[in-house]
Amino acid sequence: MAYIGFENIDKYYGKNHVLKGINLEIKQGDFVTLLGPSGCGKSTLLRCLAGLETTSGGKIILDGEDITEKDPKDRNIGMVFQHYSLFPNMTVKENLSFGLKLQKLPANEIEKRVKDSIEMVELIGKENEYPNNLSGGQQQRVALARGIVMRPKVLLLDEPLSAIDAKLRKSLQTSIREIHKEMGLTSVFVTHDQDEAMVMSDVIHLFHDGKIEQSGDPVDIYTKPVTPFAAGFIGNYNILNPAQMEKLTGKKWDGDVAIRPETVIISREAVTSAESYKMQGVILDRVTRGNVLRYKIQVNGIEVQSDVLFRSASMYEVGETAYMALADHNCVRL
Ligand code: ADP
Ligand code: MG
């Protein structure tokens, strides 16, 4: 049985139908990501789980119990937001012990839990600092410690890294994964960033307009998009209609096809592999993206993007003619 279950969750804000019959099951111990563009309902679903928002219909189950109507403070759920929302007039230690004191835990237990959490987020030595004296990354570590200090059943993280610069973000992604594992948490993470979702998650649920468009592990989501929306949101796919595919390959196609740029082969010699569609085109554009070169290549009036590793042998000039090939198994039917 699922550890967290959403059954037919509806949510309206006035006439705005924000969650449209969400059915979702989450396994205990999984790191699960709700991925999707801004405004598609990710935060609303998370807030319903935390009890910060009521549902308009449906049922939420946690660990075998119907918590739909339960008071937020009795749900035993930890939450971390994009904005750290720490108490500015309290030290790190005071921020962390605040909720534990409300629960009237014994002083030595509070002391131990606060110490453990500070260790876990690697903030030893900062116990007596005020939030204003900490960097953004450190403040988010405090917020993370506050999320776990209550020993929650479930940790919810709503775009916690969106305000943090790229380099620090990577190290916090790693910290969050490690804490998740070490504490045996069940975590639900929200992001609009596909790369972050790929790095962090056991399971990704791709949201679109109040519904779940596709669910799967990162490899499935990346390699087998099931709809044009999924292919458009993930992995910079080329999306081609049947007429375009016919111009490219010379055969008839039934529906739209998604092709990942890194599966489009460009070559100076004619490609010989048996399973491929082979063609010739002209290089229209080349962009350097770190260790990858992204080409735009035109074949029979159709433009296709191709990503190749940056090597001297893979350098083509704009205007150059090149062979191109596509394996049939890399043409994903939508
Ligand atoms: P996401 O987190 O995916 O960006 P949200 O769940 O925050 O999306 O919002 C989904 C939709 O609900 C948006 O159209 C948003 O404007 C609307 N919404 C969110 N919170 C409220 C609220 N408190 N009152 C009215 N509308 C809201
Ligand atoms: Mg949001």
Side-chain angles (χ1 to χ4, degrees):
M1 202 179 118
Y3 188 60
I4 302 170
F6 294 95
E7 297 177 10
N8 263 315
I9 299 297
D10 273 299
K11 176 68 185 175
Y12 288 86
Y13 285 114
K15 284 191 179 146
N16 189 6
H17 198 181
V18 173
L19 297 174
K20 302 172 178 169
I22 299 278
N23 286 294
L24 182 59
E25 295 196 336
I26 293 172
K27 256 184 21 208
Q28 187 163 21
D30 267 358
F31 195 103
V32 171
T33 296
L34 312 180
L35 171 66
S38 176
C40 66
K42 307 177 298 292
S43 294
T44 303
L45 190 70
L46 212 63
R47 293 171 60 81
C48 287
L49 177 55
L52 302 175
E53 198 58 76
T54 56
T55 59
S56 311
K59 213 155 75 167
I60 303 175
I61 309 289
L62 173 59
D63 197 10
E65 187 192 354
D66 184 343
I67 60 160
T68 320
E69 304 290 331
K70 203 168 176 172
D71 203 274
K73 70 175 173 19
D74 299 327
R75 296 188 185 200
N76 198 8
I77 287 175
M79 193 144 181
V80 184
F81 303 93
Q82 177 180 345
H83 303 290
Y84 325 125
S85 50
L86 301 172
F87 299 116
N89 56 334
M90 292 185 193
T91 64
V92 169
K93 208 166 156 181
E94 288 163 351
N95 263 284
L96 298 186
S97 30
F98 184 77
L100 298 170
K101 283 184 181 155
L102 283 185
Q103 284 197 342
K104 300 199 167 50
L105 291 183
N108 59 347
E109 176 67 16
I110 294 180
E111 189 78 14
K112 180 178 183 313
R113 286 208 196 177
V114 169
K115 186 166 170 283
D116 286 352
S117 301
I118 285 177
E119 270 177 32
M120 196 77 93
V121 300
E122 296 166 43
L123 279 179
I124 298 168
K126 303 287 182 200
E127 293 84 347
N128 297 315
E129 297 284 353
Y130 286 90
N132 278 341
N133 295 331
L134 301 175
S135 69
Q138 288 170 332
Q139 289 184 51
Q140 194 54 302
R141 285 182 187 274
V142 179
L144 191 57
R146 194 181 49 184
I148 57 176
V149 79
M150 309 292 285
R151 309 254 168 97
K153 288 183 171 179
V154 175
L155 184 63
L156 307 183
L157 305 117
D158 192 351
E159 312 237 10
L161 307 179
S162 298
I164 290 172
D165 59 75
K167 200 167 168 204
L168 210 63
R169 208 167 156 159
K170 294 230 162 75
S171 97
L172 274 166
Q173 287 171 350
T174 311
S175 299
I176 291 173
R177 278 289 311 185
E178 282 171 6
I179 290 167
H180 164 85
K181 269 206 192 132
E182 242 172 86
M183 294 193 60
L185 288 167
T186 304
S187 302
V188 189
F189 183 86
V190 164
T191 182
H192 61 268
D193 179 333
Q194 53 145 327
D195 294 326
E196 188 161 272
M198 296 290 158
V199 171
M200 305 284 291
S201 319
D202 297 312
V203 181
I204 296 172
H205 300 284
L206 180 61
F207 267 60
H208 178 208
D209 194 18
K211 286 188 268 196
I212 295 174
E213 186 91 358
Q214 186 173 355
S215 300
D217 65 33
V219 172
D220 266 354
I221 293 279
Y222 192 65
T223 58
K224 294 180 196 136
V226 293
T227 63
F229 173 80
F233 196 76
I234 308 253
N236 304 301
Y237 274 88
N238 292 288
I239 301 175
L240 299 169
N241 64 34
Q244 292 171 318
M245 282 304 288
E246 185 173 350
K247 280 196 179 157
L248 215 54
T249 63
K251 75 165 217 186
K252 290 248 180 259
W253 293 76
D254 292 333
D256 290 351
V257 172
I259 302 167
R260 250 183 307 134
E262 62 267 34
T263 67
V264 176
I265 299 161
I266 314 185
S267 163
R268 288 209 161 77
E269 284 86 48
V271 177
T272 54
S273 58
E275 83 282 13
S276 295
Y277 303 112
K278 297 152 205 155
M279 51 215 96
Q280 242 182 330
V282 178
I283 304 288
L284 289 187
D285 189 30
R286 181 183 74 204
V287 179
T288 309
R289 307 176 85 230
N291 62 342
V292 168
L293 296 167
R294 169 159 295 176
Y295 289 103
K296 203 183 279 173
I297 177 166
Q298 190 179 53
V299 179
N300 293 335
I302 308 300
E303 286 179 20
V304 180
Q305 267 186 19
S306 167
D307 285 352
V308 296
L309 267 183
F310 195 141
R311 294 205 230 112
S312 53
S314 53
M315 280 295 223
Y316 296 84
E317 299 306 323
V318 170
E320 209 178 316
T321 308
Y323 291 97
M324 194 186 106
L326 285 174
D328 184 72
H329 68 263
N330 287 321
C331 299
V332 181
R333 277 74 170 169
L334 297 176

